[in-house]
Amino acid sequence: MQFASRTERIDPFYVMEMAKTAQALAREAAHTRREMIFLNVGEPDFTAPPQVAEAAERAIRDGRTQYTNALGLETLREALSRWYGERFRLDVPARRIVITAGASAALHLACLALINAGDEILMSDPGYPCNRHFVAAAEGVPVLIPTTADERYQLSSSKVRAAWSARTRGVLLASPSNPTGTSIAPDELRAIHDVVRTRGGLTLIDEIYLGLSYDETFGHTALALGDDIISINSFSKYFNMTGWRLGWMVVPEPMVPVVERLAQNLFICASSVAQHAALACFEPQSIAIYEKRRAEFKTRRDFFIPALNELGLTVPVMPDGAFYAWADCTQAARKLGVQGSWEFVLELMRRTHVAATPGRDFGNAETAHFIRFSTASSMAQLQEAVARLRRELA
């Protein structure tokens, strides 16, 4: 068969490729005392709270399972609008909120609505691989800009200014970021947007981990910078609804009918059951559960990152959000007699039955020397993982 040339610009998602290897090793160890500990996939171990599950059951029982408006349930858009007001003291009108089939659909719609063939989008390196592939799928050109620990692995206004060309359409940011868990400092974010705005470009920002922010300095939405920000968000991370495939985007008002037209044709709507269930996310009892879980994620971070540093898996920047550890494995790889993060992760899985993700997915800026751990697993699993790593690396 002959396939479209655009498919050649989409690399494999190595997180999932490595997960296959981890699963195979897990089957071998299934009945041993050293079962696989999966710290490779960024998925909360928490699931939707009881109120959310019960709301889904009610929706099914009551027959509220038919198509919704392509923009989403009006009641859900209004609930999100109130959430922005209560959490961020920000007025985000419901009419600018679009409910989508996960953050992935939101990014897909945004890229299709805004990017023409050949348009360049500036992005940080390292960064989440699928974001650049959404740009490529829309016939755009992702331009990966190397970043450093001193920059919190985020773009700076000076680098955006230097990289801007006649072909540049805008920037795609992520704050907090996957794989580093770091956010853009508010003043720097404003400066980046000023550079983009003065050049008539667009600022797209992935904020799916914003609810899981642990530092008051960074826990603010970019939407405060103006109505021209396009923010992508999700019910997967803070709201613990990964497999429900529900997200949203906040867009400038003139963009709403364009996104609606695309969504009508490409997706019809997000899952109606998931939308009805998500209304319960904003009940006081649910928010209390989410905040307790956010505190637990921070506790896990505060245990795991120092433990990695002690073992020579150095995390150059303490993550201020999300649930990841971006660790330099150069020293640890030498101890195991291997080179590079790909070989190191494979050797680590074989020796310790602890699964992590090599840096290959996340760009080219020294990523061959880094691995990503997810700290979204239970404290008991993280403690056991550290004990196993210590036996091999201490």
Side-chain angles (χ1 to χ4, degrees), residues 1 5 99 104 114 136 138 159 223 231 242 261-262 284 298 302 317 329 338 365-366:
M1 294 180 67
S5 60
I99 308 299
S104 298
L114 297 166
K159 283 190 172 178
L223 291 167
S231 171
T242 50
R261 189 166 70 248
L262 288 169
K298 181 179 182 296
D302 292 346
V317 186
C329 67
V338 297
E366 298 186 352

Side-chain angles (χ1 to χ4, degrees), residues 31 52-53 62 102 104 162 167 177 187 196 200 217 238 277 288 292 324 362:
H31 303 295
V52 176
D62 296 346
S104 298
R167 296 182 299 276
S177 169
D187 289 347
V196 174
T217 302
Y238 176 73
K292 184 177 180 181
Y324 299 112
F362 303 105

Side-chain angles (χ1 to χ4, degrees), residues 242-372:
T242 50
W244 301 67
R245 306 315 303 133
L246 193 64
W248 76 90
M249 59 198 302
V250 181
V251 302
E253 204 160 334
M255 189 174 161
V256 173
V258 177
V259 171
E260 181 179 24
R261 189 166 70 248
L262 288 169
Q264 286 170 337
N265 284 277
L266 297 179
F267 298 101
I268 300 181
C269 66
S271 162
S272 55
V273 173
Q275 290 189 65
H276 284 292
L279 287 168
C281 290
F282 305 100
E283 295 177 3
Q285 305 96 312
S286 297
I287 294 295
I289 291 171
Y290 290 131
E291 285 301 292
K292 184 177 180 181
R293 291 175 176 181
R294 181 167 72 102
E296 173 61 22
F297 282 129
K298 181 179 182 296
T299 299
R300 296 173 184 180
R301 178 202 69 168
D302 292 346
F303 160 75
F304 196 69
I305 304 293
L308 290 183
N309 289 332
E310 290 173 7
L311 294 171
L313 288 164
T314 307
V315 179
V317 186
M318 184 66 156
D320 58 84
F323 36 62
Y324 299 112
W326 183 241
D328 187 336
C329 67
T330 306
Q331 177 183 334
R334 282 198 295 266
K335 284 191 175 182
L336 298 191
V338 297
Q339 291 186 337
S341 61
W342 187 268
E343 290 185 14
F344 176 73
V345 166
L346 287 171
E347 187 66 16
L348 200 68
M349 283 196 295
R350 294 189 189 103
R351 293 194 187 200
T352 69
H353 289 172
V354 174
T357 298
R360 180 183 295 185
D361 252 336
F362 303 105
N364 304 305
E366 298 186 352
T367 54
H369 304 294
F370 279 80
I371 62 175
R372 189 198 71 179

Side-chain angles (χ1 to χ4, degrees), residues 26 28-37 352-353 384 388 391:
E28 295 174 11
H31 303 295
T32 73
R33 297 173 63 182
R34 285 166 61 86
E35 292 187 354
M36 185 68 70
I37 298 176
T352 69
H353 289 172
E384 173 61 20
R388 294 184 189 181
R391 284 192 287 270

Side-chain angles (χ1 to χ4, degrees), residues 144-210:
L144 303 187
I145 300 176
T147 61
T148 66
D150 289 342
E151 298 167 313
R152 303 182 58 76
Y153 297 114
Q154 293 284 0
L155 290 185
S156 64
S157 56
S158 59
K159 283 190 172 178
V160 170
R161 190 180 294 109
W164 201 279
S165 74
R167 296 182 299 276
T168 305
R169 180 75 177 96
V171 297
L172 174 48
L173 312 171
S175 184
S177 169
N178 178 3
T180 65
T182 61
S183 300
I184 307 172
D187 289 347
E188 193 62 52
L189 182 58
R190 182 178 296 278
I192 291 171
H193 186 48
D194 285 345
V195 171
V196 174
R197 181 184 276 160
T198 57
R199 286 158 176 73
L202 60 93
T203 300
L204 264 163
I205 184 161
D206 170 350
E207 296 190 313
I208 70 173
Y209 295 100
L210 183 61

Side-chain angles (χ1 to χ4, degrees), residues 41-119:
V41 178
E43 182 171 35
D45 59 329
F46 301 116
T47 57
Q51 295 89 339
V52 176
E54 290 163 7
E57 292 171 3
R58 283 197 304 273
I60 294 170
R61 284 198 307 269
D62 296 346
R64 287 177 289 169
T65 58
Q66 296 175 310
Y67 296 139
T68 71
N69 185 293
L71 296 176
L73 288 174
E74 187 64 28
T75 49
L76 184 54
R77 297 165 74 196
E78 290 170 351
L80 280 164
S81 177
R82 290 192 297 273
W83 184 72
Y84 277 108
E86 293 165 0
R87 191 175 186 98
F88 302 107
R89 302 291 184 263
L90 194 63
D91 180 18
V92 179
R95 63 180 179 274
R96 291 179 51 208
I97 299 173
V98 180
I99 308 299
T100 59
S104 298
L107 276 161
H108 189 43
L109 290 167
C111 289
L112 290 177
L114 297 166
I115 297 172
N116 287 310
D119 284 350

